[in-house]
Amino acid sequence: MMHNVPKPLNSNRLLATTACVAFLFVLIAACKKDKGNDFTGKLMNKWSLVQILDTVYSSGAAPVPAKYDGKTDEYMDFRKDGKLYSFIQSTYDTAGYTYSEANFKLNEKGFQYEIQILTDNTMVLHEPHFTTSTLAYHAYKITLKR
């Protein structure tokens, strides 16, 4: 008759288990830290302009969209120094900008954009506002890609 005799507990097993738990803890903490910088990491890039869409909504009239399709060399380059370098419609520009990860906002030259989409390859900025001089609502949307 054969009996299974348990092997004695090896102290190296306890050490290995402790090391694995510590490694997993460090790995999880590092992943959480990276996610916090994920927004900034995605934003801080040179983005190619795909399209600018400015739609005007007036009382009693149909919406009037004005679409501009970006050219191959047009871009918006968000830098870590708080500057936005851009080349759009044959014009170079540099402007300061701020952004908020908490509420997905980007402020640049008086424009207050909502960041509707921000992935590794696509960003969509939307800036709705009401113009008192024309009593019209404008929806300004910029689509960018990398």
Side-chain angles (χ1 to χ4, degrees):
M1 188 171 182
M2 248 184 172
H3 293 284
N4 287 334
V5 178
K7 293 182 181 178
L9 185 60
N10 188 347
S11 63
N12 288 339
R13 180 184 264 174
L14 181 62
L15 181 62
T17 302
T18 304
C20 284
V21 169
F23 175 75
L24 287 173
F25 178 79
V26 170
L27 185 64
I28 290 169
C31 288
K32 285 184 179 181
K33 188 174 183 179
D34 287 344
K35 285 185 179 181
N37 293 330
D38 198 33
F39 182 92
T40 301
K42 289 177 184 175
L43 178 68
M44 303 290 169
N45 281 292
K46 186 173 184 178
W47 295 88
S48 298
L49 178 65
V50 175
Q51 184 182 80
I52 298 173
L53 181 63
D54 185 11
T55 306
V56 179
Y57 300 88
S58 298
S59 179
V64 180
K67 183 173 87 167
Y68 175 76
D69 291 323
K71 310 267 186 303
T72 304
D73 58 344
E74 295 181 320
Y75 64 87
M76 294 177 82
D77 188 359
F78 295 90
R79 303 275 179 94
K80 291 180 181 178
D81 64 358
K83 301 255 193 243
L84 168 62
Y85 298 89
S86 61
F87 178 69
I88 299 173
Q89 295 182 342
S90 302
T91 303
Y92 289 97
D93 192 18
T94 303
Y97 76 95
T98 60
Y99 68 97
S100 170
E101 289 184 42
N103 59 12
F104 299 103
K105 300 283 185 191
L106 184 121
N107 299 313
E108 182 261 334
K109 283 188 175 178
F111 291 99
Q112 296 177 358
Y113 295 101
E114 297 170 14
I115 302 172
Q116 290 185 322
I117 297 172
L118 181 58
T119 67
D120 290 334
N121 301 315
T122 303
M123 179 164 42
V124 176
L125 304 173
H126 182 252
E127 202 267 340
H129 63 275
F130 184 77
T131 306
T132 56
S133 61
T134 60
L135 298 177
Y137 171 79
H138 288 254
Y140 195 64
K141 182 176 175 183
I142 300 174
T143 304
L144 305 162
K145 71 173 183 172
R146 284 198 310 157

